[in-house]
Amino acid sequence: MIRLLARRLAWAVFVIWAVTSIAFVVNNVLPSDPARMIAGPQARPGDVARIRKQLGLEQPLGQQYGSFLRRLVHTGPTTVAPDDKEHANCATFGPIHLDLGRSYQQRRPVVVVLGERLPRTLWLAAAAMLAQVLLGVATGVFAAVRRNTVWDHLAVGGSLLGISAPTFLLGLGLQFLFAHELRWLPLDGYGLTFADHAVCVVLPALTLGIFGAAFYTRLVRDEMIGLMKRDYVRTARAKGLPEWKVITRHALRNALMPLVTVIGLDLGALVGGAIVTETLFRWPGIGALSVTALLDRDGPVIMGTVLLTSTAIVLSNVAVDLMYAALDPRVRK
Amino acid sequence: MRSTRRQISATGRLVGVLTALALLGLAACREPLEPPIGAAHPGETTPRRGGKLRLASIGDLRGALDPATSAEALGRGAIEIMFAGLVDYDEAAHVVPDLASRWELSDDGLSYRFFLREGARFHDGEEVTADDVRRSIERALHPSTPNPWASLYDMIAGYDEYTQKGAAHLAGVVVEGRYVVSIHLHDKDARFLPVLALPTLRPVCKSAGERYSDSWAPCGAGPFRLEAGGWDHGRSLTLVRHEGYFRPGLPYLDAVQWTYGMNMMTERFKLEAGDLDIVRDISQADVVRFQTDQRWNPLSVFEPVRSIYGESMNTEMPPFDNVEVRRAVAAAINREHYREVRPSAVTISNQAIPPAVPGYDPTFRGQEYDYPAALEHMRKAGYPYDPATGRGGYPGEITYYAYRPGLQEYTAQLLQQDLAKIGLQLTIKLVSFPTFVALAYRRKTTQISNPGWTEDYPDPSDFFDPLFDSSAINEDQSQNSAFYRNPRLDEILARARHELDETRRFALYGEANRIVCDDAPWAFTHNYRFYIVHQGYVRDYRAHPVWPENVGKTWLDRAADAVSSTSPGAAASWASLTGALSRPSGRRASH
């Protein structure tokens, strides 16, 4: 198990390095100028050139990449003094420093910007995942049990609609119904207190949840239909177990195995930020930040979000692998 | 058989449910607007103090709130009310005294002496003095400051020495007493006062220091100030009244709050719910709804038009190196079709100066749609085209760059159709805005594109100098995107820069306008204007020709029990959740 973990972690580090390196190159070879985006489209060329120089963008790409890697993880003082300019942009983990540079646009350390945004995205990701698992599993089981009835068709048709409908459309519909018409929930935002956050997360989490649940519904339904025909389920019924126990204890438990993989992958993607949903609901998370950074060609923030997203996805994959290994001895072999 | 019938029946029911939902959605979209909330004391004209004005924006404020570095339109509104300048623009775009009670211009036109108001205070309570004015100017123009506007001030004496040769001070800025400061120019320059009224050189508190630092907490002498925690990055900005503001009694508002990153529909919903006071980002469909709603129409206004858009033709690349082809393009474009893409926001343009900028001549015809004339210009260019047979025209293909999202996505197709009628075949390439900026202003790269220009300061020079003067040509990042060079025009523009008599100066720009319209480096197409809607209780709010938010004299007259619904507070949400399904009732205007 330890060897498996070590192998997976080594592979994860390589993948993260590869993704960030590709992102760095792509971001820097695009025909656009971050200094121009800072100065605005109407600034004079001389002023833009001065800003470009101040940002160090005139250095060769290789030199910029080397500087980025050297700075990314390094060692330094455990606590950074306020006047320590060399480590002013660092997040410290004891003597280990993580330095993603300073945002071109916001003129603040990227680790600070990400530190503000990450908890909000994690909160939304957790709520959305809860919504999509509960909705998806419940509807999938229901459809499988009521196979070929109108309820099954509604569930399958509804899931098709959920997968097909763009999230922005779904979000707008929910906003219109629950915020504008019924006025039960806030239209958007994040709020100031924990109670605010709890209320504000409902609509964006539902938007993501319905979208994700549609896929889960079909997955669970199909698995359940297959499992309900298996011998051990028939045996359970023959032993006189109530139907709900047969479904939940025997069929559902096994039907959830493939779901674990999908949940792991989805969770990683959600931590990377739900770009459309965060933008629509003015949720100040990683997704909305990524959009702004891309439009601004804010290199340090782009690299920060890429690093964060790839780490989240890779680590969630590692977690899924380990979970599988724990659940299924065959994988360990 | 039975199973098939059941399936058909189930499918039918499913289709029925989905149809019903779709119809419900459509009905919801056609719902009339909620009425605006009226003033509590409609007959009263004496301003009342108090209240927080709530604004929203589709964009996010990203850059620092520092007048020396801000380049964003969003930040401009906030910086304008946080930092008072020596001079400002009035509602007719004229330069008027602000922190300086008056100024004198020397006989040779080279020196401006500003007399500061005594007792004017920064947000931290310190008095604003001439030393602060000089320190702030030197801080803003220092070469270590990422100032995107620094070179606008290159007319100040000693600018080159200070910014490029390491001089310790800017020689042209001289303190002549605690409340008197002089600014010397190396040449007469009519642009000086208009650019001085921009936020860039406005005095900042002593806490800003001598040199720029991005960790500084914004502090100025304007009517509103930023409190600790007032700027929640990526979400909102709240400014509160500066009690020590030098204009007695002003401002009337307790606070101004911007919420950022709100989409257009949410802004509209919040305005209707009474959760926003003024809205500026409005979809095309909603502009029509507000305009046709008799209750909202009196509470809405179009902002003055301060930008121009046009098809910029690269005069160094064929076929646009031929002036007759450019003239043909200018005559072939049916600008009315451009207007119809977004009729509520787009107005037709036929010249280089937009209507809100002093010097604009509404009687000047400039460039106009004239199809026979366009065909004649193509013949003169050596590319005769026969519309009946489709034969002739320019044999090569022309690449047209446009960016998305934006109006250009649609106008590009109109241009393609119009130019096909005179024998010019366009290939449209849609790119992102940063890519467009990189390509459209690079030499020998883009044959034709549709850039725009929004006033930086309200003066014709802000349009002619960067867009058409040959000194604005650059290998890369060329503001003169047509790479247009005309010695006669250069000479007129140079004379206009040094001409301090406004009548003679505007006459020179009139001449420049005629040359540019005739030579057609740009085919001017349209202007863009914003539509603003506010609640009835928002009083004395007027659109300004320069500033996006003109709230210095705005006041609120909202009844205490006027409707306020859900967001952003969750408490209100729960209250409404536990209340009823019905809409809350409250006082609303019935006009």
Side-chain angles (χ1 to χ4, degrees), chain B residues 26-276:
Chain B
L26 279 175
C29 291
R30 295 179 61 84
E31 190 188 58
L33 294 167
E34 289 284 315
I37 303 173
H41 311 86
E44 232 174 72
T45 53
T46 309
R48 291 164 174 264
R49 276 167 76 86
K52 178 165 73 176
L53 185 75
R54 297 156 307 167
L55 310 159
S57 169
I58 197 165
D60 180 20
L61 177 63
R62 299 182 295 282
L65 280 173
D66 189 322
T69 61
S70 177
E72 291 178 90
L74 272 180
R76 212 177 193 195
I79 285 173
E80 150 64 7
I81 57 175
M82 290 173 71
F83 298 89
L86 292 176
V87 291
D88 201 347
Y89 308 107
D90 68 9
E91 290 178 2
H94 293 129
V95 177
V96 292
D98 197 31
L99 262 179
S101 58
R102 64 189 175 91
W103 71 81
E104 290 171 351
L105 176 62
S106 63
D107 292 340
D108 58 7
L110 293 177
S111 298
Y112 290 82
R113 179 177 286 134
F114 295 94
F115 298 88
L116 299 185
R117 293 172 196 272
E118 294 183 23
R121 306 248 161 221
F122 283 118
H123 298 159
D124 60 8
E126 294 271 344
E127 192 180 17
V128 184
T129 65
D131 282 327
D132 295 315
V133 173
R134 188 178 72 162
R135 177 181 49 79
S136 301
I137 293 175
E138 290 187 344
R139 173 183 176 274
L141 299 182
H142 193 267
S144 65
T145 304
N147 181 347
W149 306 113
S151 63
L152 280 181
Y153 302 92
D154 60 4
M155 73 282 278
I156 297 176
Y159 176 87
D160 287 344
E161 289 75 10
Y162 185 65
T163 57
Q164 291 163 29
K165 296 172 188 166
H169 291 284
L170 185 57
V173 182
V174 179
V175 173
E176 296 183 356
R178 187 171 171 81
Y179 302 109
V180 183
V181 61
S182 285
I183 300 179
H184 305 288
L185 312 183
H186 55 66
D187 205 345
K188 279 196 296 187
D189 202 317
R191 301 169 303 172
F192 175 66
L193 283 177
V195 297
L196 185 66
L198 287 172
T200 314
L201 303 186
R202 292 189 176 184
V204 292
C205 298
K206 291 178 179 63
S207 59
E210 305 279 333
R211 296 290 174 263
Y212 169 80
S213 157
D214 56 14
S215 56
W216 171 60
C219 174
F224 292 91
R225 65 185 171 83
L226 178 66
E227 277 190 322
W231 186 9
D232 191 348
H233 288 267
R235 298 169 65 192
S236 66
L237 172 72
T238 305
L239 303 178
V240 298
R241 184 197 292 129
H242 169 34
E243 298 294 350
Y245 184 50
F246 61 86
R247 295 185 192 278
L250 287 174
Y252 301 120
L253 299 168
D254 286 341
V256 183
Q257 182 182 56
W258 286 265
T259 305
Y260 298 114
M262 196 181 284
N263 71 64
M264 287 187 188
M265 188 173 284
T266 306
E267 284 193 40
R268 196 202 91 196
F269 286 169
K270 290 203 174 201
L271 181 76
E272 287 185 271
D275 293 333
L276 283 178

Side-chain angles (χ1 to χ4, degrees), chain B residues 450-503:
Chain B
N450 187 302
W453 190 268
T454 302
E455 82 175 7
D456 299 310
Y457 55 95
D459 191 81
S461 62
D462 184 41
F463 292 83
F464 285 103
D465 289 355
L467 299 180
F468 305 115
D469 193 302
S470 64
S471 66
I473 292 176
N474 221 43
E475 287 300 314
D476 198 7
Q477 318 248 6
S478 180
Q479 290 183 310
N480 183 341
S481 57
F483 298 89
Y484 173 64
R485 191 183 295 275
N486 182 334
R488 166 86 183 126
L489 180 76
D490 289 351
E491 187 247 320
I492 290 172
L493 296 181
R495 277 171 55 203
R497 277 195 288 276
H498 303 309
E499 177 57 68
L500 299 183
D501 180 274
E502 194 173 88
T503 309

